[in-house]
Amino acid sequence: MIISDLDSSNKPVIEPALLGHNTGLEKLTLDFGSFVTPRDMIQVFTTDSEGSLLRALASLNTPGLQTLILQLHVRVPAGSTLRLQADRGLQDGSDAESWQKINDVIKGGGFNALREVFVKVAYYTRRSFDLNGPEGYDLRRVHAATEKAMQHLLWYSFGLLRLTYDVSHA
């Protein structure tokens, strides 16, 4: 996880301990730079482990935070594996219970000034493909399942959550 927007120099910081108590912080970007699979993407939000969003948010005490940007990098499997994930949906995290821990942190009061939360998903593929073709269709289905799962976040019900994505070919 890379943290930015902590100071005027806007240099990335990799030390989550710096997030503790910061009353002047208005904008924060958390970049989960490690690649995850579409299936594992939801676990960034719902799992309490080292480097998880849940841990990072629980360590925050930033009453002035107005904008939170979460960046996820997702490696897209080719062909049938992507189709299988699209067919199954993102079963982990598809129920409200999976999101309870992060929603408890959100309800904790440290995010009362938030006006907007952006989740930016960057999908990376090994080869290019037609986004209007079968693989593009499967990718859109995976993204739609992600969007549906994230509707369990309180930020969604508050009208603060915006989910965007782009596709790059590596």
Side-chain angles (χ1 to χ4, degrees), residues 66-81:
Q66 296 177 20
T67 303
L68 179 61
I69 301 168
L70 309 171
Q71 297 179 359
L72 300 171
H73 303 269
V74 179
R75 179 158 290 140
V76 177
S80 62
T81 306

Side-chain angles (χ1 to χ4, degrees), residues 101-123:
K101 288 181 183 178
I102 195 164
N103 283 332
D104 287 345
V105 170
I106 292 169
K107 284 191 279 191
F111 302 99
N112 293 338
L114 267 179
R115 293 184 183 162
E116 53 195 0
V117 177
F118 294 98
V119 177
K120 298 179 177 183
V121 182
Y123 293 103

Side-chain angles (χ1 to χ4, degrees), residues 124-145:
Y124 296 91
T125 64
R126 290 195 182 269
R127 61 183 177 79
S128 63
F129 57 81
D130 181 3
L131 287 176
N132 294 318
E135 287 180 297
Y137 173 73
D138 290 337
L139 180 60
R140 286 192 304 279
R141 288 176 50 212
V142 166
H143 188 74

